[in-house]
């Protein structure tokens, strides 16, 4: 069974005064299999964030059906099986990565010992162990993004959603994240990798989904997309 399935999903946000309400997603269908890395590509406004918000049940579709890990996204326990890396994380002042990990662990009902063990594992692996008691606000961009990964991976999620994981990073930071994603992919994690830059994803993903103005333009293997262009 697919780990993520959208069947003819539509979503239009409430119209603002003096503007035309356009569908953020219009009858979009796609699926993602367990163990797959799927790239979701599209320019700003394509509908990527809307698709993520629907998966996370931050918003609900107007029409169509969504299945995540075999369940409706409204099913509460589903959320705790998803690791989500937001595009921009505004860390509260003075909090450390350990504070954020503790908070994340309690919000997904992990035992304290499990939170400690998993936090140490990820912080060491991501090169943040020495910096664990420093405020996140003082981290470099690359360190902040690695901290976001530690938070997203804490609960060993079955589905990992990455929203523009390379944005704002310098070449070294990008290389770090690329290596990490390659590693996670090698371990068989199911990864939804969203980006407005095809080159960021095409060497890494098994398949790509291209969105444009809320519609699906392409779903298939990256080489087939390259041949189409
Ligand atoms: P992407 O993540 O690919 O940039 P989005 O899903 O954010 O695309 O946006 C798709 C469309 O929906 C855009 O036209 C955007 O302006 C609109 N949109 C997104 N969020 C809202 C919102 N909260 N209210 C109104 N329109 C929105
Ligand atoms: P992204 O590229 O991830 O869509 P944006 O900077 O476009 O991010 O949007 C930031 C936030 O504003 C998102 O939560 C998005 O849903 C919301 N948003 C985008 N377009 C609109 C809009 N036209 N009206 C209201 N909110 C919007």
């Amino acid at each position: 069974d697919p780990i993520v399935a959208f069947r003819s999903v539509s979503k239009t946000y409430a119209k603002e005064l003096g503007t035309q309400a356009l569908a953020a997603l219009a009858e979009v269908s796609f699926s993602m299999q367990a163990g797959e890395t799927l790239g979701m590509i599209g320019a700003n406004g394509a509908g990527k964030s809307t698709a993520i918000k629907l998966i996370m049940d931050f918003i609900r579709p107007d029409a169509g059906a969504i299945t995540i890990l075999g369940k409706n996204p409204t099913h509460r326990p589903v959320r705790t099986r998803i690791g989500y890396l937001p595009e921009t994380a505004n860390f509260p002042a003075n909090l450390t990565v350990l504070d954020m990990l503790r908070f994340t662990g309690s919000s997904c009902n992990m035992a304290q010992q499990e939170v400690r063990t998993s936090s140490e594992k990820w912080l060491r692996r991501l090169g943040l162990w020495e910096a664990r008691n420093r405020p996140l606000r003082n981290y470099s961009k690359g360190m902040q993004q690695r901290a976001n990964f530690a938070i997203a991976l804490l609960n060993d999620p079955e589905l990992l959603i990455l929203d523009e994981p390379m944005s704002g990073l310098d070449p070294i930071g990008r290389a770090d994240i690329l290596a990490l994603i390659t590693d996670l992919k090698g371990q068989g994690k199911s990864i939804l990798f969203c980006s407005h830059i095809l080159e960021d994803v095409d060497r890494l993903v098994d398949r790509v989904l291209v969105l444009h103005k809320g519609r699906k333009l392409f779903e298939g293997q990256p080489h087939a997309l390259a041949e189409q262009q």
Side-chain angles (χ1 to χ4, degrees), residues 2 4 7-8 34 40 43 68 75 79 94 112 128 133 146 148 157 167 177 192 201-202 213 217-219:
V4 176
R7 281 180 301 277
S8 208
M40 185 158 65
I68 309 298
H75 183 75
R79 185 101 54 92
N94 301 321
Q112 279 184 24
L128 294 173
N133 290 314
R146 283 182 276 135
N148 278 325
S167 82
I177 297 305
L192 181 61
V201 312
D202 68 352
K213 294 186 176 169
L217 282 193
F218 177 86
E219 181 182 7

Side-chain angles (χ1 to χ4, degrees), residues 7-180:
R7 281 180 301 277
S8 208
V9 171
S10 297
K11 174 71 189 177
T12 301
Y13 292 98
K15 181 176 164 304
E16 282 171 65
L17 205 64
T19 63
Q20 180 130 31
L22 293 172
L25 287 180
E27 295 175 26
V28 169
S29 300
F30 72 94
S31 62
M32 177 178 161
Q33 303 300 318
E36 184 172 56
T37 300
L38 179 70
M40 185 158 65
I41 305 300
N44 281 334
K48 306 181 297 295
S49 299
T50 299
I52 292 174
K53 286 175 198 161
L54 288 164
I55 293 172
M56 301 293 292
D57 193 39
F58 296 155
I59 57 173
R60 304 260 162 100
D62 301 329
I66 302 175
T67 310
I68 309 298
L69 297 157
K71 300 270 196 297
N72 192 292
T74 58
H75 183 75
R76 283 291 110 191
V78 168
R79 185 101 54 92
T80 65
R81 295 161 65 192
I82 304 175
Y84 169 53
L85 186 100
E87 183 181 0
T88 47
N90 287 311
F91 295 116
N94 301 321
L95 289 194
T96 67
V97 69
L98 281 180
D99 295 328
M100 293 299 295
L101 288 164
R102 263 184 233 116
F103 174 76
T104 304
S106 64
S107 63
C108 54
N109 298 319
M110 288 170 74
Q112 279 184 24
Q113 185 53 48
E114 193 190 347
V115 174
R116 275 193 292 269
T117 309
S118 181
S119 296
E120 179 166 350
K121 177 182 101 174
W122 285 111
L123 292 177
R124 286 192 186 282
R125 194 151 146 208
L126 291 161
L128 294 173
W129 182 246
E130 302 300 322
R132 66 190 181 281
N133 290 314
R134 277 167 51 189
L136 282 160
R137 284 284 177 86
N138 296 351
Y139 277 19
S140 70
K141 277 260 177 214
M143 290 169 80
Q144 287 191 356
Q145 192 62 313
R146 283 182 276 135
N148 278 325
F149 267 93
I151 293 163
L153 290 162
L154 182 71
N155 196 24
D156 193 20
E158 286 158 81
L159 171 62
L160 186 61
I161 300 176
L162 308 176
D163 193 358
E164 303 276 357
M166 318 273 213
S167 82
L169 298 182
D170 63 18
I172 294 171
R174 293 167 69 88
D176 281 349
I177 297 305
L178 197 66
L180 174 65

